[in-house]
Amino acid sequence: MRYLILTDIHANLEGLETCLNDAGVRGYDEILVLGDIVGYGPDPNAVIDRVRDLNPLAIVRGNHDKVALGLNQAEGFHAAAKAAAHWMLDTLTADNRAWLVALPMGPRLIGDTLEICHGAPFDEDAYIFDELDARHAFDAATAPICFYGHTHFPVAFRLTGDSLDIIGPSGNGETTLPVAGDAKYLVNPGSVGQPRDGDPRAAYAIYDVNEQRVDLIRIPYALEITQAKMHRAGLPEPLARRLTLGR
Ligand code: ZN
């Protein structure tokens, strides 16, 4: 079994299509989506339509998807994100908004060895940034490997006994994480549609269960097309600029 894992797509159709093409060449069996399908980007309806067509095995909602429940969900957002949330609510079709509203909260167990969530297994909106957050998440996790998103930062934490390692991205576009049976893992594939680790390339992961490895993959996409759409839509300029910076 090979899982394609996508998170934080953020209405970025070019980023999504590029990841899907690349993953299609590598091969996968099932898709898992860890939330924030919309928010920030210019193509909420096209991205939702595409994700629905893909028929993922499981999806959990992200904090930006929850804006479909009402704009009060965007209260903690910074000004640009809030403006984009307003725009999204005006732009979503009724059918796509209803689909977002129906997305389940994480965490969700897939079989008995794999768990997915948006933020953390103990709270869908919490961020896992550092070792303390990771230890809290390991305490709450119910499967040996848990995939999460929300920070837009590709990284893996490995817990072997009481010893915790942080495995960062290699920078060259691909990091292979061997999955050992005696350890527990928290893995963030990084963001498809709005990377924040200083690398503007789209990020996603493939988990090969039989080969016991996770590939963390980076791939360049036509972000200037996404940015032109954002300008045309009147979305805040800093949201377009950050795609170039990957921050
Ligand atoms: Zn996000």
Side-chain angles (χ1 to χ4, degrees):
M1 171 64 81
R2 281 167 66 83
Y3 292 103
L4 165 59
I5 302 156
L6 303 168
T7 187
D8 297 279
I9 302 166
H10 283 296
N12 185 331
L13 187 64
E14 291 69 37
L16 175 61
E17 292 295 358
T18 301
C19 291
L20 289 172
N21 284 338
D22 190 63
V25 173
R26 294 167 190 264
Y28 60 87
D29 303 302
E30 296 285 358
I31 302 178
L32 305 172
V33 181
L34 314 186
D36 277 3
I37 295 151
V38 296
Y40 297 128
D43 278 314
N45 287 306
V47 164
I48 291 172
D49 291 343
R50 188 73 167 103
V51 169
R52 292 175 76 168
D53 279 349
L54 291 166
N55 193 23
L57 180 68
I59 312 180
V60 292
R61 68 184 185 184
N63 50 315
H64 285 261
D65 304 321
K66 284 198 283 182
V67 168
L69 294 163
L71 203 58
N72 58 330
Q73 297 289 333
E75 250 156 41
F77 288 9
H78 56 75
K82 209 176 269 184
H86 267 277
W87 177 86
M88 180 184 80
L89 281 186
D90 289 343
T91 305
L92 281 175
T93 65
D95 187 48
N96 281 339
R97 184 168 175 174
W99 182 83
L100 282 175
V101 165
L103 288 178
M105 183 194 312
R108 174 144 177 217
L109 203 57
I110 314 293
D112 53 3
T113 57
L114 164 61
E115 188 173 25
I116 61 170
C117 59
H118 181 63
F122 56 86
D123 178 345
E124 63 175 344
D125 293 330
Y127 290 91
I128 301 173
F129 277 118
D130 58 18
E131 181 172 339
L132 204 65
D133 304 330
R135 286 194 181 273
H136 189 186
F138 277 123
D139 286 344
T142 57
I145 183 161
C146 174
F147 288 90
Y148 70 98
H150 198 32
T151 63
H152 298 207
F153 202 95
V155 67
F157 296 90
R158 176 175 55 207
L159 187 70
T160 315
D162 195 43
S163 155
L164 194 135
D165 302 303
I166 301 172
I167 301 140
S170 67
N172 68 359
E174 194 159 332
T175 305
T176 295
L177 172 73
V179 177
D182 59 346
K184 289 180 79 179
Y185 296 86
L186 287 168
V187 184
N188 188 333
S191 170
V192 171
Q194 195 202 73
R196 292 182 192 161
D197 61 338
D199 181 342
R201 294 176 296 177
Y204 75 97
I206 292 180
Y207 173 32
D208 191 311
V209 178
N210 301 344
E211 290 190 18
Q212 293 191 289
R213 55 182 264 189
V214 178
D215 292 321
L216 296 168
I217 296 149
R218 300 304 286 264
I219 179 121
Y221 71 98
L223 59 90
E224 57 293 339
I225 295 177
T226 316
Q227 290 171 317
K229 289 179 181 175
M230 292 173 80
H231 292 143
R232 279 201 297 277
L235 284 161
E237 172 58 27
L239 296 182
R241 202 174 332 131
R242 72 187 302 178
L243 296 182
T244 306
L245 305 173
R247 285 204 188 282

